[in-house]
Structures are given as C-alpha cells and as structure tokens.
Amino acid sequence: MRITVVRGDITEQQVDAVVNAANSSLLGGGGVDGAIHRRGGPAILEECRRLRAGHLGGGLPVGEAVATTAGDLPARWVIHTVGPVHTDGQDNIGPLASCFRESLRVADELGARTVAFPAISTGVYRYPLEEAACVSLWTLARTPTSVEEVRLVLFDQKAYDTFDRAREALDPSDAQVEAWLRSLPDATWLELFDAADALTDEDRDVARPVYPDRVRRLYRSLPGASVDWMKWMRGNPLVSDPSLLAGAPVADAARLATVYVRGERFNDGVFGRAVQDGSVDAIVRRLRVWVGQGGC
Ligand code: APR
C-alpha cells in the first residue's frame, strides 16, 4: 500500500472513500465533518440518521468506523470514524490508531482501493499534531489491507510539514533494518535467546536501578538498530502495546529494542521497566519467530 501526504481539502479528493472526522452522534459538526456534509449534501445525513435509527442507536463509539454514501462528493463512500478527544493521563494512542485500523477494515469491506484520511482528532479534539502524525503513519503502514493508496490530506502547511516529517520516522526502511539484522552473526542470536531463557521470575519482578547479572546480560545482547528511536517512538502504538509486535515486521522489534537499550543510557530503569511489563519478552519473541523462520 502506498501512503501519500498531500496538502488540500479532503472534500475534493478523487478517491473511492473519504474518511470523516466525525463525532459519535454522526449528525454533523464543524471542521472536516461540516465540510463533508456541506459539500456532500443531504444524502449523507439521511443515511447517518438511518444508522442512528438502526444498530447505531447509541451513536458511533470512539475508534470505530461506519460507511455511508458520499452524496455529491467526488468519492463513492464516506467512512465516518470518531477520534479520541485528547485527554492527558488517558490512552489516546490506542483509540486514534483504532480509527485508522477500523477505517481500513471498512474500506476493505467496501472494496475501496483509494482512501483519503484527514488528520483525525487534531482539530476540535486537540490531539497534538506530532504524536497524531506518528500514530497515523505507523498504524497505516502496519495494517494489512487491500487498499492500494492511502492519502493523508492536510488542510494547512503546519499539519502537512508535521506529517511529512513523521513519515521520515519510518526510515530507515524495514528492508534496511532487516538486512542489518540478517548481517548479525549466529552467536548474537544464541546469546540473546540464551540470556532471555536464563531470566528468573525474580529478575522480572523488580525493575531496580542495579540490575541482576542476568538482566544486564540480556540488556547487552539485545540488538539495537541505528534508527532515530526518539522520533520513531513518539506516538508509536507499540510502546503502549508491545503485543502488536506479533503482527509487525521484525524491523519494529529492533526499533523497539533500540528504544529501551538507548533509553536506559538517558534514564536508569527504562530497561528494567521494559523487562517488568513484558516489552522485552515481546521483542525477544518476535525476533525468535523471525530467526526460526530462517530470517537470519
Ligand atoms: N480537509 C482536510 N482537512 C481538514 C478540513 C478539510 N476540508 N477541514 C478541517 N481539516 C483539518 C483540521 O485542520 C484538523 O487538522 O482536519 C483536522 C481535524 O479537525 P476536525 O475536523 O476539528 O476534527 P477532530 O479534531 O477530529 O474533531 C472532531 O469536530 O467537526 C467536529 O463533528 C466533529 O465533533 C467532531 C469534532
């Protein structure tokens, strides 16, 4: 799937489906929602009202998506999704990532091959642009779909520049990171998996600044890739949910390992907490699967 970042008005996009940054009522609003209903005409709202009279009586939940006609828009469908209102101290990344994942799922059900997304939640819902851009791009790049082109349509230059920079955070490419992993000697993998297997429950329970030898050995054996880990990790769903690694390219395991290996140098305890919360286990599991499949 190709991901393009353009500056423009989402209502003018010549695509199969346009994603609307809706609210749970599905009855319209301002911003993207207002523009889509204004330009698309009453047919969209009529279909939204039928959804509300039917299985969406309670409204569309945050992170979910549903399709209607696109009315007079150049597109065939509108996929309405409800982003999270950015709230400090809550999980904002998960629901925002879900908007992109669920919109692609609906697009696949429709048979849409080209889909335009706005910067969901970054307007009225106050989601910081930089983090939203990372969540959006990482999720789009990692969601299996039959959609051939996803077009992120940014309304102003600041949003465009932010999303374009965030796309660089996916560099170096998966292929480049995987080629580096493949270049590592077999001894690296033997040492890593042996160190991981040697960890005791007690090692896992306590993330302390003075790590037991077995934790230090595991720390030393994790492959940390040469990636811009601080940019990549900002808003990356993997940091809050490492179980997503199971479905991600092995390059993400190396990137996430880098976050903890390098992060420990800046802040004692980062690695210990990653051992404690299972993130390091998820990384080792993903690497073990890749090595077991003859990756290296
Ligand atoms: N095309 C592309 N992007 C647009 C357009 C447009 N025509 N109009 C606005 N935007 C941009 C905004 O600049 C912002 O970056 O879309 C992003 C999302 O902003 P909102 O539309 O405010 O959406 P969101 O932050 O998700 O808030 C949703 O706002 O409009 C109401 O009914 C909507 O209650 C819901 C809430």
Side-chain angles (χ1 to χ4, degrees):
M1 172 184 70
R2 204 155 40 92
I3 299 177
T4 53
V5 174
V6 301
R7 181 161 175 206
D9 183 331
I10 200 157
T11 63
E12 295 168 358
Q13 301 304 311
Q14 305 284 340
V15 291
D16 293 339
V18 160
V19 174
N20 179 24
N23 59 58
S24 289
S25 77
L26 288 179
L27 301 179
V32 168
D33 203 2
I36 284 177
H37 280 281
R38 261 193 316 278
R39 173 92 190 260
I44 300 175
L45 187 57
E46 281 159 22
E47 225 172 291
C48 288
R49 285 207 171 103
R50 279 200 292 278
L51 288 168
R52 288 298 314 276
H55 72 288
L56 288 179
L60 184 65
V62 172
E64 294 194 15
V66 70
T68 66
T69 174
D72 304 326
L73 292 179
R76 285 183 63 186
W77 299 285
V78 172
I79 298 174
H80 306 265
T81 190
V82 181
V85 176
H86 190 270
T87 310
D88 290 340
Q90 283 188 2
D91 172 24
N92 298 292
I93 292 175
L96 183 60
S98 176
C99 286
F100 287 88
R101 211 174 287 132
E102 284 303 298
S103 296
L104 285 179
R105 184 186 58 74
V106 170
D108 284 343
E109 284 174 358
L110 296 168
R113 289 287 174 271
T114 53
V115 180
F117 282 87
I120 298 168
S121 281
T122 63
V124 168
Y125 286 176
R126 303 189 313 278
Y127 207 114
L129 261 181
E130 186 107 24
E131 180 172 297
C134 292
V135 176
S136 313
L137 284 161
W138 186 86
T139 305
L140 288 168
R142 296 291 180 255
T143 302
T145 175
S146 308
V147 169
E148 289 155 8
E149 182 202 353
V150 160
R151 190 180 305 170
L152 281 155
V153 182
L154 290 320
F155 209 42
D156 57 56
Q157 193 60 42
K158 178 169 177 265
Y160 173 81
D161 294 342
T162 304
F163 272 70
D164 208 35
R165 268 198 315 276
R167 194 172 41 175
E168 290 160 18
L170 295 176
D171 290 337
S173 71
D174 295 344
Q176 288 166 315
V177 177
E178 199 163 328
W180 170 74
L181 287 172
R182 206 171 285 115
S183 71
L184 297 176
D186 291 350
T188 300
W189 303 112
L190 292 172
E191 170 60 10
L192 169 63
F193 300 144
D194 197 35
D197 294 341
L199 230 52
T200 66
D201 289 344
E202 191 208 352
D203 293 330
R204 292 174 197 282
D205 279 350
V206 181
R208 49 192 158 185
V210 180
Y211 297 135
D213 288 347
R214 287 177 301 275
V215 174
R216 269 209 297 274
R217 181 186 169 206
L218 181 55
Y219 172 79
R220 283 193 306 271
S221 58
L222 261 187
S226 59
V227 293
D228 185 340
W229 59 282
M230 291 180 91
K231 197 193 288 184
W232 176 83
M233 73 176 274
R234 191 180 298 116
N236 193 300
L238 276 176
V239 176
S240 47
D241 182 2
S243 68
L244 292 171
L245 257 185
V250 69
D252 275 343
R255 293 184 179 109
L256 193 58
T258 309
V259 169
Y260 300 127
V261 167
R262 302 275 181 80
E264 180 69 21
R265 292 179 201 162
F266 290 86
N267 183 346
D268 278 350
V270 164
F271 186 73
R273 284 190 294 277
V275 168
Q276 201 177 21
D277 71 15
S279 298
V280 172
D281 284 334
I283 292 167
V284 173
R285 254 195 315 274
R286 183 65 188 86
L287 291 169
R288 223 191 273 265
V289 166
W290 179 73
V291 168
Q293 288 167 343
C296 60

